[in-house]
Amino acid sequence: MKPRTPKNTDLIFTTSQWLPTPLEETFAFFAEARNLERITPPFLSFRIVTPGSIEMYPGALIDYQLRVRGFPVSWQTEITAWDPPNGFTDVQLRGPYQKWVHRHDFCSENGGTRVDDTVNYLVPGGALIDRLMIKPELRKIFEYRRTRIEELFLP
């Protein structure tokens, strides 16, 4: 009998960006949860619905509303790792993905900071749906994010 190949193999999306600002300043921007609204494309109609200020720590929950392909979606993430100023991880508890684990890493490099994002995720339909729909959309979202971050950080 042939061994079974797992059906739900994680998909991975990575991106990296260098910014001319010190590590602590760069981390502080990303550590402020409400800044996510500033760097998310308008087509997602993304907004944080958690009331008040959001303190970041392992176990912190953040609620969002957004639109995916025109449909309203509630999304909730939990901060599962918090290591200022080196990084943090958020994990989807409720949302459009079967799995979403987003690791944000920061390190000093060439007088500034390198920001690395690694997302491990699963989607209904697996690799085919990912290749045709999800990965291109993630690229579009993170390219918008890259542009907005450059506008905010570059002189």
Side-chain angles (χ1 to χ4, degrees), residues 2-21:
K2 261 172 71 173
R4 289 179 140 184
T5 303
K7 290 181 182 179
N8 289 337
T9 302
D10 282 9
L11 300 162
I12 299 173
F13 181 86
T14 61
T15 186
S16 186
Q17 181 173 16
W18 181 85
L19 298 170
T21 50

Side-chain angles (χ1 to χ4, degrees), residues 28-126:
F29 175 84
F30 288 91
E32 172 51 56
R34 297 207 183 273
N35 281 333
L36 189 53
E37 291 178 346
R38 298 173 68 189
I39 61 174
T40 300
F43 73 82
L44 290 174
S45 300
F46 178 90
R47 63 187 178 88
I48 294 174
V49 295
T50 300
S53 65
I54 299 170
E55 184 181 348
M56 301 287 271
Y57 57 89
L61 301 177
I62 307 169
D63 293 300
Y64 318 90
Q65 290 289 319
L66 65 149
R67 296 186 83 71
V68 176
R69 301 189 186 283
F71 295 99
V73 173
S74 294
W75 190 326
Q76 183 180 62
T77 60
E78 177 182 3
I79 303 301
T80 59
W82 183 251
D83 180 23
N86 304 303
F88 63 96
T89 301
D90 60 87
V91 174
Q92 174 194 278
L93 299 180
R94 183 180 67 247
Y97 294 86
Q98 289 175 318
K99 175 182 181 179
W100 177 273
V101 178
H102 184 177
R103 176 76 194 160
H104 309 255
D105 290 298
F106 305 86
C107 71
S108 293
E109 183 178 274
N110 299 325
T113 303
R114 189 180 74 237
V115 179
D116 295 316
D117 291 284
T118 304
V119 181
N120 291 67
Y121 64 102
L122 291 171
V123 296

Side-chain angles (χ1 to χ4, degrees), residues 36-43 138-151:
L36 189 53
E37 291 178 346
R38 298 173 68 189
I39 61 174
T40 300
F43 73 82
L138 286 176
R139 282 190 194 108
K140 185 176 178 182
I141 291 166
F142 276 86
E143 277 304 313
Y144 178 89
R145 176 180 165 155
R146 170 186 297 281
T147 300
R148 283 293 295 136
I149 289 168
E150 285 176 358
E151 290 170 0

